[in-house]
Amino acid sequence: MTDKAQPSFIPYSLERVSESEMIEKSRAFVDSIGKRRSVRDFSTKPFPMEIIENAIRAAGTAPSGANKQPWTYCVVTNADLKRRIRVSAEEEEFRNYNGRMSESWLDDLEPLGTNHQKPFIEDAPALIIVFKKIYDHEDTTLAKKNNYYVNESIGISVGLLLTALHQSGLATLTHTPSPMNFLEKLLNRPANERAYLNIPVGYPKNDAEVPNIHRKSLDDIMVSYI
């Protein structure tokens, strides 16, 4: 039996600020993130790709099961590839809206005005297609190495990504054309990766509109045990 290397530890601390400043920062963040919306009308205007790179760096800081970091972020800007992704996505979405989705599901979607047509896939200057790694491989063999809490880990990571892009001044959409295995094929991803999310990124069009929705109140989503 081989002895596992003991993990090393380094000191950690957070910058200390006054409680009043902590509250002020938390309120400012709520105000900022509360303006984030899912956008379906994107401008084709380009933006610096470093913004996406930095957002993915931020996403990569997310906690993950056993620190496995089971995610791959694929950035697609190639026009032909975006077109092929749109064609495949619309084929799946057409089947969803015309047989796969239940009547109650369609009723819930109706106020949002969505349908199987997805022009934002081509209009947005970039797509970030997120893949979850079901398992990894040993460095020198094809033996599988388990990843843990994959969905939970990647969900946290994507949350950081969306926040970072919003804070940078870009709009996003979380698009889930189920099933999404066509993305694995179009992007030639390895067998241990599964498509998790397609995220168009860009500026909203000048005339972009979003549904007039309302978020649940704090009382609706928080329960205190004192």
Side-chain angles (χ1 to χ4, degrees), residues 84-182:
R84 287 187 284 144
I85 290 172
R86 177 184 177 180
V87 169
S88 295
E90 289 185 340
E91 288 176 354
E92 294 295 349
E93 294 283 35
F94 182 84
R95 296 186 184 100
N96 287 336
Y97 279 87
N98 293 273
R100 288 176 178 165
M101 291 178 175
S102 65
E103 287 300 321
S104 60
W105 191 348
L106 293 172
D107 289 343
D108 286 338
L109 287 176
E110 187 175 4
L112 303 179
T114 62
N115 56 45
H116 75 278
Q117 297 177 332
K118 310 298 177 184
F120 50 76
I121 293 177
E122 289 191 271
D123 293 340
L127 305 176
I128 302 177
I129 301 177
V130 189
F131 290 86
K132 60 181 181 181
K133 289 186 175 182
I134 306 303
Y135 57 87
D136 278 311
H137 291 112
E138 297 285 355
D139 294 337
T140 58
T141 72
L142 293 179
K144 295 180 180 179
K145 295 177 65 177
N146 290 335
N147 289 330
Y148 312 102
Y149 300 105
V150 173
N151 286 332
E152 294 86 347
S153 300
I154 200 166
I156 298 169
S157 181
V158 168
L160 291 177
L161 178 85
L162 297 176
T163 302
L165 292 168
H166 172 73
Q167 294 293 86
S168 300
L170 293 175
T172 56
L173 174 68
T174 49
H175 179 223
T176 54
S178 179
M180 291 191 285
N181 56 325
F182 67 88

Side-chain angles (χ1 to χ4, degrees), residues 3-75:
D3 294 330
K4 289 187 176 181
Q6 294 298 310
S8 60
F9 291 84
I10 58 176
Y12 174 75
S13 63
L14 284 174
E15 178 187 1
R16 295 294 182 93
V17 298
S18 67
E19 290 185 354
S20 61
E21 187 175 352
M22 292 170 68
I23 292 172
E24 182 180 348
K25 285 184 174 183
S26 68
R27 288 174 177 170
F29 181 76
V30 170
D31 182 65
S32 172
I33 203 65
K35 295 180 175 66
R36 193 211 64 79
R37 294 298 303 271
S38 294
V39 170
R40 289 178 170 81
D41 297 312
F42 285 90
S43 167
T44 58
K45 179 181 177 181
F47 55 84
M49 282 297 109
E50 185 183 351
I51 298 173
I52 283 185
E53 293 171 357
N54 288 333
I56 293 174
R57 287 189 178 98
T61 69
S64 60
N67 194 37
K68 293 293 185 175
Q69 305 170 61
W71 43 68
T72 300
Y73 288 88
C74 296
V75 181

